[in-house]
Structures are given as structure tokens and as C-alpha cells.
Amino acid sequence: MASVRKAIQDMMKSRNLMVITLTQSLFMLTASLWWPFWSLYILELGTSKTLMGMIFMAETVAQLIFQLPGGILTDRLGRKKMIVLGSVLRATSPLIYVATGSWQFVLVGVFITQTSNMMGPAIDALIAESTSVEHRAMGYGTFRMMTLLPMIFTPFIGGVITDSLGVYGGVRLAITCTLVVAWFNVYIRWRYLEDTYTNEHASSRLDALKEVRSVPRPIWTLITVAIFASLGLRVASQFMAVYATQVANLTKTQWGLIMTTVGI
């Protein structure tokens, strides 16, 4: 308990960590209202299940492509600039979803969302630099717990909204909430984050790639397992809401309750 208390105290002392944790938690509070029903919304726009699968495939490819550039830009521009840039992109995609109503623009928004994930390495680096070495793992654990906490309650609420307003109206209302929060987060992160990083001792891109060779074998084992686990998860996860509502005949509220239970 003493170590947990110390980790939380370290978190409270770091303004950067507090800003990132609070803004990310606020974003998750609204985003998890509509994420469980996203596939239903895409189908509502007139796509087939095959086309929807291709959209999610493109999303995964884009997510993969932008990770390495995100790390390179984080070391070149600094943590704060990269996080603010990514936050602006993240706030742009819900604007596209709300302003348009076609699956073609959904594809554009999905691509922009994955581009915004280039700030992922910057957030991870900022958390690492904002916590002491002895409590770094605890700091990451606390951050993950705080940002996932809203997902315990909001899927059920999102289900109630979606049943009341329909898939199209309910999801768009929830996305509008995310839009407001996302732009609020842009301002808070731009205003209050501090970038203390300097790239004086940063490795070159060639040196960074050479370091891949020295990764221990157990890490490669974990990576391989994660690849297969991710493959199996991605095949089914995006269609679970469709199965639940169209095959198992659950209401959106019941599906949201299931996701709430999983979140707990």
C-alpha cells in the first residue's frame, strides 16, 4: 500500500501526468458512449459487412504505418508539440463524422484518427519522464486505470441513448459530445503541458533501428503472441455488436450492459 500511495503522490506532483491523465479520462468518458455501437452506425450509413471489414482493415494498416513516424517526430519535435498536434488531429475526425453522413467520409475520419495516434509514443515518453524509476510501472498502471475507468459506466448509458434515439441519432449525439471534449483537450494540453525534453542526446534513426537487433528473445516471443492475439481479436471484435443485435436480438441497452460488465 505504501508503494501505491507513493506512486499516486508522484502522479499528483507531476503537472504533465495530471494533464494527460485527466484529459484522456475525459475523452474516454465521451468516446466510450459510442465506440460499442460504431459498427452498427457504419452499417446504418449503407455499407455492407464486407465493406465495413475493409474499412476496419484500412484502419489497422494506418495505425501500423504511423507508429514509427510518431516516434521519430516525438524525438525531433518534443513531447508537447507532438501531443498537441495529435490532439488536433484527434479532434478533427469527430468533426468530420458530425458534419457528414456518408461512409466515404467515415473512412477519411478513421484515417485521420489513426494519424493522430502518432502522439502515442509522445504520451508514453511523457509518462516515463514524469515518474520516478522505482515507481514507473506503477505510474503506467495508475494512468491506464484512470483512463479506462469511465468505460465501466458509459457503454450502458450509450446503449440507452442509442435505443432512445436510434443508432444514427444516438451515435451522432455521442460523437458531438466527443467533439466538444476533444477540442477542450487541445486547449488544455497546449496551455498546461510542459516540454522539458531536449534532443541533444537523441539517437539517430539508423542507431534506433540497429537497437532492434539487441531486443531479447522473450520480448520477440511476446510480440509474436501479441500479433496472433490481435489477429484473432480484430477478426471478431468489430462485428460483435452486429452479432449481438442482429443475431442474438439484444437491445442496444443490453449490449451496452454487457460491455459495462466486461469493463468492470
Side-chain angles (χ1 to χ4, degrees):
M1 286 299 295
S3 60
V4 174
R5 193 180 307 113
K6 181 63 167 60
I8 294 176
Q9 288 174 349
D10 284 350
M11 181 178 174
M12 297 292 290
K13 291 177 182 177
S14 171
R15 186 165 86 171
N16 281 346
L17 195 52
M18 283 295 294
V19 169
I20 287 296
T21 301
L22 292 177
T23 53
Q24 185 68 12
S25 298
L26 188 59
F27 177 83
M28 295 295 288
L29 183 67
T30 58
S32 54
L33 284 170
W34 55 275
W35 280 352
F37 312 99
W38 183 231
S39 57
L40 299 178
Y41 177 75
I42 295 177
L43 290 178
E44 193 83 2
L45 297 179
T47 65
S48 65
K49 297 180 179 66
T50 301
L51 181 57
M52 183 176 71
M54 294 178 66
I55 291 174
F56 289 134
M57 181 182 70
E59 178 184 29
T60 303
V61 171
Q63 183 179 15
L64 174 66
I65 290 173
F66 288 117
Q67 290 305 301
L68 182 58
I72 294 172
L73 288 174
T74 294
D75 285 338
R76 177 168 294 183
L77 301 178
R79 285 49 168 140
K80 178 179 178 177
K81 289 181 180 178
M82 199 61 204
I83 291 173
V84 172
L85 175 61
S87 300
V88 170
L89 291 171
R90 179 64 59 86
T92 302
S93 53
L95 179 62
I96 292 175
Y97 299 148
V98 170
T100 63
S102 67
W103 67 264
Q104 291 91 341
F105 282 101
V106 164
L107 185 59
V108 173
V110 163
F111 181 81
I112 293 175
T113 296
Q114 296 311 315
T115 306
S116 75
N117 284 332
M118 288 194 297
M119 68 177 167
I123 291 177
D124 288 340
L126 194 69
I127 295 172
E129 292 160 3
S130 301
T131 53
S132 59
V133 175
E134 62 270 19
H135 294 113
R136 185 156 296 162
M138 186 72 71
Y140 271 102
T142 304
F143 171 77
R144 301 300 180 198
M145 181 189 71
M146 293 295 292
T147 54
L148 291 175
L149 190 62
M151 295 185 68
I152 294 178
F153 311 104
T154 46
F156 173 72
I157 298 173
V160 173
I161 295 173
T162 305
D163 269 334
S164 300
L165 302 179
V167 173
Y168 186 81
V171 170
R172 287 177 70 85
L173 175 61
I175 293 176
T176 301
C177 296
T178 301
L179 173 64
V180 174
V181 167
W183 283 105
F184 173 77
N185 284 356
V186 170
Y187 171 76
I188 294 297
R189 291 176 174 182
W190 169 77
R191 179 69 177 80
Y192 293 104
L193 281 179
E194 297 176 332
D195 200 347
T196 57
Y197 170 80
T198 60
N199 59 5
E200 295 178 8
H201 305 291
S203 301
S204 68
R205 278 171 282 181
L206 183 59
D207 291 337
L209 291 174
K210 287 180 179 178
E211 290 178 5
V212 174
R213 301 176 184 175
S214 62
V215 174
R217 181 173 294 180
I219 299 300
W220 284 114
T221 301
L222 290 174
I223 292 173
T224 303
V225 171
I227 289 172
F228 283 105
S230 178
L231 177 64
L233 181 65
R234 294 291 293 185
V235 166
S237 62
Q238 303 293 356
F239 298 93
M240 288 303 297
V242 179
Y243 175 82
T245 56
Q246 295 186 4
V247 179
N249 295 319
L250 299 180
T251 65
K252 315 302 185 298
T253 302
Q254 289 171 329
W255 174 241
L257 184 60
I258 289 174
M259 296 306 294
T260 291
T261 305
V262 171
I264 296 173

